[in-house]
Amino acid sequence: MKKYLFMWCFVLCTLSGIAQTVTIIDKNTGEPLELATLASNSPRAFVVTNIKGQADITAFEGAEIIEVRMLGYEKAIVSYAILAQTNFTVELVASKLSMDDVVVSANRWHQDRQDVPNKIKTITPSDIQLQNSQTAADLLGSTGDVFIQKSQLGGGSPMIRGFSTNRLLITVDGVRMNTAIFRSGNLQNVISLDAFATESAEILFGPGSVMYGSDAIGGVMSFRTLNPQLSHTSETLVKGAAVARYSSANGEKTTHFDINVGWNKWASVTSFSNSNFGDLRMGTNGPDDYLRPFYVERQNGVDVMVANEDPLVQKPTGYEQTNLMQKVRFKPNANWDLVYGLHYSTTSNYSRYDRLIRTRGGLPRSAEWQYGPQVWLMNNITATHQGDSHLYDQMTVRLAHQFFEESRIDRDFNKPTRASRVEKVNAYSFNLDLDKALKTGTELFYGFEAVYDDVNSTGTDEDITTGDVFEGPARYPQSSWASYALYASLQHRISPKLLVQAGTRYNYFKLDAKFDTRFYPFPFETAEISNGAVTGSLGLVFNPETDMTISTNLSTGFRSPNVDDAGKVFDSEPGAVVVPNPELGPEYAYNAELGIAKIFNSSIRVDVTGFYTRLENALVRRDFTLNGQDEIMYDGELSQVQAVQNAAYTKVYGIQAGIEFKFDSGFGFSSRYNFQHGEEELDDSTLSPSRHAAPSFGVTKITYNHQNLKMDLYAMYSGEVSFDDMPAEEKGKDYMYAADSNGNPYSPSWYTLNFKALYKLSNGMTISGGVENITDQRYRPYSSGITAAGRNIILSLKVDL
């Protein structure tokens, strides 16, 4: 066996042939273009240029059509023979607007955006650098197409098309990040990703279950991290950057560095970031309901309400976060590409601010309520092969192991018992994705996925007056969740202007749980849930002109019940306790959408997408009984028993629209607007506004881009949610909302004016920064438990290595 393994490695290392390098440059400036893409269908090949604008195109030899793309440039079509005549150099011409870029998230392979029936938003490297977002959640929110909810400073729960939390899927380098304990309550796992280590990101709107499986109902957020760049010359390729950033609203101090070292076959990239955030200061102009007049200190063994010297400062909200990434790449020849990635993120403890502002009888309900360190570790290996076999033209294999740790630490005001609940998840996944051109104009994408999550949950109770520690009830049962799936998607070009795409997926999932009945009188000790789900999609893309696209898409999505749905015990709100329910099935979404995009005179782009989604057998909290009782004692309080059940339906409809202008002077104008309306069925069969359907929101920008200077003046805004339009479960959370003229909770509309700028100095230094919330508005985004930052001055210095 060892002999064969050695022979296989030897073949990979020696079958390299003679590499041929192409260079992509800007026609006007002669500057090399990094991250330009070259693609060919025959032979099947795809490469991306490095910082010197270079890429190895050995695999393209003999290609009649090679498409060269770069966002902001006109597409170039060349042949391998023409490249040889031009000394393997391609000059791209800058363009104003184009719909001719490349996306990955739709079919897990690189595709022309005009061949995709789904709506997709791309976040580019230049967007990431200019926005200077503190977290990956803030980066998503900057697009104007994703609404971000926060319960604390160390948070960020995206809302997309009326869905959020475990009805949205996060992927990192093609690996699903969602685990078996992703909950229906607000999630902050996306902040584990480092914006500095993000090369680009895509948001796929609507169900993506055919390609991605469970949870991909409202959309998929696909993050691609920095990829090691190879050198295509005899010289070692060294690329790196060091960044220091300060933000005034929370005293942020961030440092970052990354370094890429590349040779002909091997490359490595290392990224490190550390951020220290202080308590967040809100704006001066807005509702007094959001002020922080007090906080809790423990003095002489007693919890004391302390008057806040500055009610604009939200105490306590500060925390620290560290991110590390290491990737190694080995490309032995033109056909094989192997990448190993290590990702690590950890935070300090951070307070859940919305729980600390609750009161009971005029006193704080909680003396402390913290999330423990949020830890994420991922090891993954990706192997990609390009070849001409009967089974595939391109193949990618992904093997990944992820470890997640999170904890909750809380203690009631002037009570001695501090409860700690710790969750650890080991998640293993295997993905096999294949792409095969069956004949001219027909392409098959298919694959297999296996996921296994092992959940370990523990609980302890500590008497802080004596120091005694006792075993307490765990939040979850000891459990495992597994998913196995086959998928296939067929794309066929009926004519040069019309393309149809159809896909289907079968998913089998299984949950096993063992309950500890020592603390709660469950009528069961074990639970097993197993079921299957079939999803599908059918889409059409019509391009009547090169600058116009009409697309329509019918798709289904599903979410299988996970450990959080079936097994947890927690207090959803004061006086209510959620208990396990082992009798659950999957929920299904049915979606229809129509999109139109058109470019006028190469300088004006308009796009509008309308959608309707209906979720059946929705997993929702409803009143329940435990051993025949509808109320039990929980944490010393008589509480209504509830459980997650397949007991409702939800419908959401809306539009996403945008307009963009590009002028010859370097100025530009753009605006994004999102409207969604959602309704969900209540226990009495009446309808309530859906909790996760955000109010209308958007962003409007005036931009300037000329040579080394970029500027962005923009407004972000959100509509009001009146008391009458407030979801039923939100009406009881008056501590989170402002009070209207009748004293009822509501979410006021808000806006902010912002300015960002970036200037590249000739010596490899970049100065960037700006002012967010210039008018110092005091606002709290809908459903959030923390007030957003007031006027925030950002200063950043980047040095290229």
Side-chain angles (χ1 to χ4, degrees):
M1 183 64 181
K2 291 182 178 180
K3 178 177 71 174
Y4 290 114
L5 288 174
F6 174 79
M7 290 177 61
W8 184 81
C9 294
F10 178 78
V11 169
L12 283 180
C13 293
T14 55
L15 293 181
S16 57
I18 301 174
Q20 181 60 63
T21 301
V22 69
T23 303
I24 312 299
I25 62 174
D26 183 299
K27 184 174 183 178
N28 293 325
T29 66
E31 292 293 318
L33 296 178
E34 183 183 7
L35 302 180
T37 64
L38 295 91
S40 166
N41 285 327
S42 180
R44 179 75 65 175
F46 182 89
V47 293
V48 180
T49 58
N50 63 17
I51 191 175
K52 294 184 177 181
Q54 298 174 334
D56 178 8
I57 60 166
T58 305
F60 290 76
E61 186 172 0
E64 296 285 338
I65 298 176
I66 301 174
E67 296 180 344
V68 186
R69 290 185 177 90
M70 177 78 181
L71 193 63
Y73 289 83
E74 295 180 4
K75 178 177 68 174
I77 298 179
V78 296
S79 67
Y80 191 88
I82 291 176
L83 284 177
Q85 294 173 11
T86 59
N87 198 27
F88 292 95
T89 300
V90 178
E91 298 177 335
L92 293 186
V93 178
S95 65
K96 292 181 181 179
L97 290 173
S98 173
M99 293 187 289
D100 202 21
D101 55 331
V102 174
V103 295
V104 179
S105 55
N107 280 320
R108 302 177 72 98
W109 292 103
H110 297 86
Q111 285 184 283
D112 187 337
R113 182 189 294 271
Q114 287 187 298
D115 291 344
V116 176
N118 307 78
K119 177 176 173 57
I120 296 176
K121 173 69 176 181
T122 300
I123 304 175
T124 67
S126 59
D127 295 333
I128 296 170
Q129 187 175 13
L130 179 61
Q131 284 303 316
N132 255 326
S133 302
Q134 289 189 347
T135 68
D138 296 332
L139 178 63
L140 292 169
S142 70
T143 64
D145 283 311
V146 179
F147 192 91
I148 300 297
Q149 180 276 351
K150 289 188 178 183
S151 298
Q152 62 278 328
L153 181 60
S157 186
M159 296 183 181
I160 299 176
R161 287 192 175 182
F163 296 98
S164 68
T165 61
N166 54 16
R167 289 174 181 148
L168 300 176
L169 186 71
I170 304 170
T171 70
V172 184
D173 293 336
V175 178
R176 66 178 286 134
M177 193 180 192
N178 293 37
T179 72
I181 63 170
F182 266 40
R183 57 189 180 274
S184 59
N186 298 305
L187 289 168
Q188 58 268 358
N189 296 75
V190 74
I191 73 167
S192 292
L193 304 177
D194 184 4
F196 284 110
T198 300
E199 186 172 88
S200 64
E202 292 177 6
I203 306 159
L204 184 149
F205 296 91
S209 288
V210 168
M211 288 294 150
Y212 294 97
S214 180
D215 305 0
I217 289 177
V220 178
M221 294 162 283
S222 174
F223 292 84
R224 295 198 299 276
T225 61
L226 299 173
N227 200 42
Q229 294 188 4
L230 298 165
S231 173
H232 301 295
T233 68
S234 58
E235 296 181 359
T236 301
L237 175 67
V238 179
K239 168 195 173 185
V243 180
R245 184 176 66 204
Y246 171 80
S247 300
S248 63
N250 54 9
E252 178 211 11
K253 302 176 186 68
T254 290
T255 54
H256 164 82
F257 78 85
D258 60 76
I259 184 74
N260 181 104
V261 181
W263 298 272
N264 292 123
K265 297 181 180 180
W266 290 89
S268 166
V269 63
T270 303
S271 173
F272 174 84
S273 300
N274 177 263
S275 295
N276 196 302
F277 304 104
D279 292 331
L280 182 65
R281 182 182 181 86
M282 68 182 77
T284 57
N285 305 306
D288 290 343
D289 306 88
Y290 298 155
L291 294 173
R292 177 63 161 159
F294 70 88
Y295 59 95
V296 175
E297 281 188 355
R298 190 158 182 85
Q299 300 175 358
N300 301 319
V302 178
D303 294 326
V304 178
M305 285 181 65
V306 177
N308 191 0
E309 294 180 358
D310 187 350
L312 298 180
V313 177
Q314 300 172 87
K315 293 185 177 182
T317 50
Y319 75 104
E320 184 178 2
Q321 180 166 338
T322 300
N323 285 79
L324 172 67
M325 184 188 76
Q326 175 65 58
K327 296 173 81 171
V328 178
R329 181 182 180 187
F330 176 49
K331 189 173 175 62
N333 53 53
N335 295 325
W336 281 98
D337 198 351
L338 295 90
V339 178
Y340 162 75
L342 167 67
H343 303 260
Y344 177 74
S345 174
T346 187
T347 69
S348 63
N349 285 21
Y350 53 95
S351 296
R352 180 167 171 178
Y353 183 76
D354 67 335
R355 293 300 179 99
L356 297 178
I357 60 177
R358 299 180 302 172
T359 58
R360 180 169 51 190
L363 294 174
R365 177 179 169 87
S366 299
E368 52 183 300
W369 211 117
Q370 300 181 82
Y371 286 110
Q374 179 173 291
V375 179
W376 172 58
L377 171 68
M378 179 169 78
N379 287 277
N380 70 305
I381 297 175
T382 301
T384 301
H385 182 250
Q386 297 180 2
D388 184 13
S389 74
H390 295 296
L391 293 178
Y392 64 87
D393 298 322
Q394 298 179 105
M395 175 187 70
T396 295
V397 178
R398 293 182 179 89
L399 288 167
H401 165 256
Q402 297 179 82
F403 171 76
F404 299 81
E405 180 178 338
E406 58 185 54
S407 53
R408 294 160 178 79
I409 305 157
D410 69 282
R411 183 175 62 83
D412 286 348
F413 187 75
N414 270 329
K415 294 294 179 65
T417 302
R418 176 187 291 136
S420 298
R421 306 293 180 257
V422 180
E423 281 73 58
K424 298 179 180 180
V425 180
N426 282 283
Y428 307 88
S429 62
F430 170 82
N431 287 86
L432 173 65
D433 299 309
L434 303 112
D435 172 18
K436 177 64 180 177
L438 302 180
K439 59 181 180 179
T440 303
T442 303
E443 197 163 355
L444 175 66
F445 307 93
Y446 66 107
F448 170 77
E449 179 185 68
V451 178
Y452 181 84
D453 288 3
D454 182 71
V455 178
N456 181 274
S457 183
T458 58
T460 57
D461 293 330
E462 176 188 2
D463 187 323
I464 63 171
T465 60
T466 64
D468 294 332
V469 178
F470 306 93
E471 185 179 5
R475 179 177 171 88
Y476 296 113
Q478 308 307 305
S479 49
S480 65
W481 181 88
S483 169
Y484 308 97
L486 290 168
Y487 80 87
S489 179
L490 187 68
Q491 180 177 287
H492 177 64
R493 185 168 294 282
I494 298 174
S495 71
K497 296 183 178 181
L498 183 61
L499 179 144
V500 61
Q501 181 172 299
T504 186
R505 180 188 186 100
Y506 174 74
N507 220 111
Y508 172 79
F509 57 88
K510 182 177 174 62
L511 186 154
D512 289 299
K514 183 177 181 181
F515 294 89
D516 189 339
T517 58
R518 291 176 298 166
F519 299 96
Y520 301 112
F522 299 141
F524 43 79
E525 293 185 354
T526 62
E528 179 179 314
I529 300 175
S530 61
N531 211 326
V534 178
T535 54
S537 64
L538 176 63
L540 288 172
V541 180
F542 179 51
N543 297 305
E545 305 167 11
T546 57
D547 55 6
M548 182 176 183
T549 297
I550 301 173
S551 61
T552 183
N553 193 34
L554 302 174
S555 56
T556 61
F558 81 100
R559 186 173 75 84
S560 63
N562 62 18
V563 175
D564 183 83
D565 297 308
K568 73 178 173 184
V569 179
F570 81 112
D571 59 323
S572 59
E573 56 192 14
V577 58
V578 175
V579 300
N581 178 13
E583 303 294 332
L584 295 177
E587 54 184 14
Y588 284 91
Y590 303 88
N591 178 76
E593 62 185 89
L594 174 67
I596 302 175
K598 168 71 174 174
I599 293 178
F600 300 90
N601 299 323
S602 299
S603 58
I604 303 174
R605 186 183 191 275
V606 179
D607 69 273
V608 180
T609 301
F611 65 90
Y612 176 88
T613 305
R614 184 180 177 93
L615 185 69
E616 295 282 358
N617 294 321
L619 293 163
V620 294
R621 288 201 308 266
R622 291 287 184 265
D623 289 345
F624 198 63
T625 59
L626 185 64
N627 288 332
Q629 297 180 320
D630 58 8
E631 290 183 318
I632 63 171
M633 293 299 296
Y634 180 78
D635 278 353
E637 182 176 353
L638 187 63
S639 300
Q640 170 68 51
V641 177
Q642 297 180 332
V644 174
Q645 303 170 56
N646 293 102
Y649 73 87
T650 299
K651 59 181 180 181
V652 183
Y653 60 86
I655 61 169
Q656 297 175 283
I659 186 169
E660 184 175 4
F661 296 82
K662 290 288 186 181
F663 305 105
D664 293 331
S665 58
F667 281 96
F669 171 85
S670 66
S671 187
R672 301 293 313 167
Y673 176 77
N674 289 264
F675 166 81
Q676 49 274 307
H677 177 76
E679 293 180 332
E680 61 183 39
E681 184 184 19
L682 298 181
D683 205 13
D684 60 1
S685 297
T686 61
L687 294 177
S688 166
S690 177
R691 175 188 175 193
H692 296 302
S696 58
F697 68 96
V699 60
T700 299
K701 298 184 177 184
I702 298 174
T703 60
Y704 179 75
N705 187 354
H706 181 66
Q707 295 181 349
N708 294 327
L709 177 63
K710 293 182 179 180
M711 293 189 293
D712 195 348
L713 176 66
Y714 62 101
M716 302 191 73
Y717 38 87
S718 172
E720 174 185 305
V721 180
S722 67
F723 176 75
D724 291 337
D725 293 331
M726 191 77 72
E729 61 181 300
E730 293 296 291
K731 289 182 177 180
K733 302 176 183 178
D734 56 349
Y735 56 91
M736 284 174 37
Y737 293 99
D740 63 17
S741 58
N742 296 317
N744 295 318
Y746 84 113
S747 180
S749 62
W750 56 265
Y751 76 93
T752 62
L753 295 177
N754 315 271
F755 175 75
K756 299 283 180 68
L758 181 150
Y759 184 69
K760 292 184 179 180
L761 302 173
S762 58
N763 58 359
M765 295 179 61
T766 300
I767 299 174
S768 63
V771 183
E772 296 176 333
N773 196 359
I774 295 172
T775 58
D776 206 26
Q777 298 297 305
R778 183 188 307 149
Y779 70 100
R780 184 174 287 178
Y782 163 73
S783 191
S784 293
I786 187 171
T787 306
R791 185 181 297 116
N792 185 30
I793 300 172
I794 305 168
L795 294 173
S796 178
L797 177 64
K798 177 183 177 184
V799 179
D800 293 321
L801 305 177

